[in-house]
Amino acid sequence: MRYRLFIALVASASAALGADDAPASYDYIVVGSGPGGGPLACDLARAGYSTLLIEAGSDQGDNPTYADLGNFNEAANDETTRWDFWVKHSDDPERELKFEHTTWDTGDGTFYVGQNPPPGAKHLGIQYPRAAVLGGCAMHNAGVCSMPADEDWDLIVNKTGDTSWSAANMRRYFKKMEKNDYLPSGNVDHGYTGWLSTSRTDASWAANDSLSQTKIMKKLAQLTGQDSTKIADLANRDILAAPKNVDEEVSFYNMVQHADKFGKRSSPNNYVRATLADPKKYPLTLQLNTLVTRVLFANATGAGSLPKAIGVEVMQGASMYKADPKHVAGTKGPVSQILAKREVIVSGGAFNSPQILKLSGIGPAAELAKFNIPLVKDLPGVGEQLGDNYEGSLMGLGQAPEDGGLMTLLFRTPSAPSKKRNIFTWCGVFSFEGFWPGFPTDYGPNEFACAMVHMAPKSQAGSVTLLSADPQDVPDINFRFFENHGEQDLKELVEGGNILREAWQAAGAPVLPFNELHPCPGTQGATRGVNCTDAAQAEHYKLQAYSHHATSTCAIGGDNDKLAVLDSKFRVRGVTGLRVVDASAFPVVPGAFPSCPTMMLSTKAAEDIIADAKNLKL
């Protein structure tokens, strides 16, 4: 098959610069080092393929802010790596201004957070921080590792007919990457020789019936149909176990994190650094502080042939992207090209992967035409179907500090549409109310919260759309929360909050009464006050819900799905030599926390790509 260059660059550049200055070339180019791209690049290199891993940020693997998991709040706030995406939750400007932590640019280098900005302040929106760093957002998250529901995997089987996506098979990828640090070896649900350490904390406190949090836990057990006399055992259950019908099991668990037993973060950063340092000298090259501006294509000239991805164009330099708080207006780095002999794999995440595809000519034709971007393939689903978990919290102040530890509960609310659990909650002495510059608010030693993640949200009406053809610009991101079936999702959140609030009343002296901060301000006892109606709570969650698990903007789908961007092997439809491997590939939000599921997806992608490579001789 013959190709001519869609963007004339390679032949002319080689001739002009001489052979020694021709664009560098690798078997594979992976764009982005987070949970999708980082492990994939390592696996490809370890299979013997020359692989270039490109990361827009720096390597902070030795920085305690990132290396010590307990510093995750500081990591997410750190301008060293932070990219600020200012998102919307709806198309209603008035509703957007009702978000209590909406953020403004004061013009003097500082932010104002709130609803009464100083004169002249520019409205930015709702902060959605991402990490531009080796290891991606797995370097600034809280490290929670949990599994999606089996049907989240099986959905891909149903959409594509590819049985390799079955939940049973996907467990194999988790076991391959896991290095379990908390259970004796031999457990059939776990792996012990992988690159990703998993650990959990001591839950022995739950055996002490005198603690206020144990009392709350016992009440929660009664309210959710568990045996309250077995709290100590329930608190130490393995949340990553896979018994039959696990997705319908209402239970307490011991939360697992991707960290080692000493509290050191385990992430793709560790895997990349270990691969680079390995004495076997795997053919992995890491290029930091490099912004990919587009994918390069050769235009097929043979009948029935497709455009082929042949490399990427990059802009070199730190802080080139305007989401970076350190970006200096007008700064542009040198632009060059890098070639891929086999494939380009985009792993920029749910915001940047669709942006890169669109800048490269792949996306909705009308949107690309608006910015005079030459069309390579009209794919209307690129940037669409943006989804996320709804998150909210019950936040209060006791009369004295709570005593105990972190409790984790997965449960089902009364109106949940199926037998599946729909709320993942964790309760303890912390404050978490979403994201804004400088979060969280420290309410002092008497603070107590139960944070909720609503699983299987029923609306995926969000979008990531271009604001210009400039690759340094940040796209427009609108989640359109509660756009579809919103009343049902809000009802489930309210029911979850009501169950938690009722359990709080079991804390006893000296903690009671709680002064609830939200969603029902004031002292709420066993009988809720007039400011705590279900309608008032639903309105609170509608306006104040937050999120940080964006997915599905380059979704896998079947041949008959007009919004499908990828096939079941991560290949971008309508072109060759191009795949997307990150959370944007999920058709739905995978469970409550996508970090570990995305690393599983990455491990599967490596297997698929290597199998294809063995069948294709270059």
Side-chain angles (χ1 to χ4, degrees):
M1 183 181 295
R2 293 181 300 123
Y3 292 91
R4 64 179 175 79
L5 289 177
F6 181 70
I7 303 170
L9 58 110
V10 179
S12 60
S14 298
L17 299 174
D20 291 341
D21 296 315
S25 136
Y26 301 84
D27 287 329
Y28 294 98
I29 297 174
V30 180
V31 181
S33 68
L40 173 60
C42 294
D43 287 346
L44 292 175
R46 286 171 180 262
Y49 298 100
S50 62
T51 304
L52 173 65
L53 177 60
I54 302 177
E55 167 56 51
S58 59
D59 178 8
Q60 298 293 323
D62 294 326
N63 184 340
T65 299
Y66 301 87
D68 296 338
L69 187 59
N71 294 331
F72 60 88
N73 281 337
E74 290 83 355
N77 274 296
D78 188 4
E79 287 193 1
T80 302
T81 68
R82 197 181 79 218
W83 275 4
D84 288 332
F85 290 93
W86 304 105
V87 309
K88 296 189 284 286
H89 284 171
S90 74
D91 291 313
D92 181 354
E94 292 185 7
R95 172 177 158 184
E96 294 303 289
L97 293 176
K98 293 178 181 178
F99 188 74
E100 292 177 358
H101 296 113
T102 193
T103 303
W104 308 72
D105 181 353
T106 62
D108 63 1
T110 63
F111 296 111
Y112 170 83
V113 178
Q115 297 168 313
N116 297 291
K122 176 185 176 183
H123 183 234
L124 295 172
I126 299 165
Q127 189 193 40
Y128 203 113
R130 302 282 83 183
V133 64
L134 181 62
C137 290
M139 289 294 285
H140 78 174
N141 64 8
V144 179
C145 187
S146 68
M147 293 293 106
D150 284 353
E151 69 177 36
D152 292 346
W153 297 123
D154 293 337
L155 173 67
I156 303 178
V157 178
N158 297 334
K159 282 179 172 288
T160 66
D162 185 344
T163 57
S164 69
W165 283 96
S166 70
N169 191 54
M170 292 307 297
R171 170 64 64 156
R172 178 168 64 88
Y173 299 113
F174 174 71
K175 292 171 68 174
K176 182 178 180 179
M177 71 184 193
E178 185 190 20
K179 181 183 177 183
N180 187 284
D181 277 350
Y182 64 90
L183 290 173
S185 62
N187 185 299
V188 296
D189 292 330
H190 290 279
Y192 295 85
T193 60
W195 58 269
L196 185 75
S197 293
T198 57
S199 62
R200 63 187 187 187
T201 57
D202 180 11
S204 60
W205 61 269
N208 186 344
D209 290 343
S210 67
L211 300 179
S212 58
Q213 284 181 243
T214 308
K215 296 174 184 177
I216 292 174
M217 205 172 170
K218 285 194 169 191
K219 182 63 176 180
L220 267 175
Q222 295 171 9
L223 294 172
T224 56
Q226 301 178 72
D227 187 343
S228 62
T229 67
K230 297 182 178 179
I231 288 301
D233 293 332
L234 292 171
N236 214 37
R237 285 196 70 188
D238 180 16
I239 200 170
L240 297 179
K244 187 177 180 181
N245 299 323
V246 63
D247 300 323
E248 298 176 9
E249 279 196 357
V250 170
S251 182
F252 289 101
Y253 294 94
N254 193 328
M255 184 184 287
V256 172
Q257 296 173 299
H258 49 87
D260 67 20
K261 57 188 175 182
F262 303 108
K264 295 294 183 181
R265 183 185 296 274
S266 182
S267 80
N269 180 287
N270 306 91
Y271 194 25
V272 172
R273 289 162 65 111
T275 303
L276 291 170
D278 197 290
K280 294 181 181 179
K281 298 189 181 301
Y282 295 115
L284 176 64
T285 300
L286 173 64
Q287 189 163 323
L288 299 169
N289 294 315
T290 302
L291 178 70
V292 171
T293 59
R294 58 179 171 171
V295 178
L296 304 172
F297 287 91
N299 199 22
T301 59
S305 58
L306 301 174
K308 176 178 172 58
I310 59 168
V312 295
E313 180 181 86
V314 301
M315 182 181 295
Q316 293 177 308
S319 305
M320 289 294 107
Y321 196 51
K322 293 180 183 177
D324 191 323
K326 305 183 301 301
H327 176 77
V328 177
T331 301
K332 292 183 181 294
V335 175
S336 59
Q337 295 96 29
I338 310 170
L339 302 184
K341 289 178 277 190
R342 290 183 177 272
E343 293 184 7
V344 174
I345 301 148
V346 177
S347 301
F351 299 157
N352 290 106
S353 284
Q355 181 182 21
I356 290 171
L357 292 189
K358 289 180 179 184
L359 292 171
S360 308
I362 299 175
E367 182 181 347
L368 304 189
K370 180 180 177 182
F371 301 109
N372 298 314
I373 298 173
L375 183 68
V376 173
K377 176 61 180 177
D378 180 14
L379 276 184
V382 176
E384 299 301 313
Q385 302 186 98
L386 172 64
D388 210 331
N389 300 115
Y390 300 124
E391 298 181 55
S393 59
L394 199 70
M395 186 77 218
L397 300 177
Q399 302 304 306
E402 281 276 358
D403 46 13
L406 188 72
M407 64 180 82
T408 301
L409 169 66
L410 275 77
F411 69 104
R412 179 187 179 276
T413 63
S415 72
S418 72
K419 293 181 180 180
K420 282 176 47 185
R421 309 172 296 197
N422 60 329
I423 299 292
F424 185 123
T425 188
W426 63 103
C427 305
V429 180
F430 63 85
S431 168
F432 184 47
E433 303 165 288
F435 299 89
W436 62 90
F439 84 97
T441 300
D442 182 357
Y443 293 104
N446 293 0
E447 66 185 11
F448 187 72
C450 285
M452 293 188 291
V453 173
H454 178 268
M455 296 182 285
K458 299 164 195 64
S459 182
Q460 284 188 227
S463 63
V464 177
T465 55
L466 296 178
L467 289 176
S468 78
D470 184 346
Q472 292 180 281
D473 281 346
V474 180
D476 180 78
I477 301 165
N478 190 333
F479 282 91
R480 297 184 181 87
F481 273 7
F482 306 107
E483 185 96 348
N484 301 317
H485 309 289
E487 289 186 3
Q488 175 60 34
D489 282 340
L490 287 167
K491 185 176 183 180
E492 293 171 33
L493 283 166
V494 170
E495 289 174 343
N498 286 342
I499 290 170
L500 295 170
R501 181 181 298 104
E502 184 175 350
W504 280 21
Q505 309 316 312
V511 172
L512 292 182
F514 276 107
N515 175 24
E516 188 172 322
L517 302 181
H518 58 71
C520 297
T523 302
Q524 305 296 334
T527 302
R528 288 184 279 142
V530 295
N531 63 335
C532 198
T533 63
D534 286 355
Q537 291 182 81
E539 183 69 4
H540 169 85
Y541 289 122
K542 180 178 180 179
L543 297 178
Q544 307 305 330
Y546 48 88
S547 64
H548 60 303
H549 303 153
T551 69
S552 309
T553 49
C554 299
I556 294 170
D559 294 340
N560 59 350
D561 182 354
K562 68 178 182 179
L563 293 181
V565 176
L566 310 176
D567 69 9
S568 68
K569 303 298 184 185
F570 306 92
R571 295 174 292 218
V572 176
R573 293 177 175 274
V575 300
T576 62
L578 180 63
R579 305 194 203 217
V580 176
V581 179
D582 57 30
S584 71
F586 288 110
V588 296
V589 185
F593 294 89
S595 187
C596 280
T598 303
M599 295 182 225
M600 294 164 66
L601 175 147
S602 176
T603 306
K604 182 186 192 306
E607 185 177 280
D608 290 341
I609 294 168
I610 292 167
D612 283 352
K614 290 179 179 178
N615 294 326
L616 179 63
K617 294 182 180 180
L618 294 183

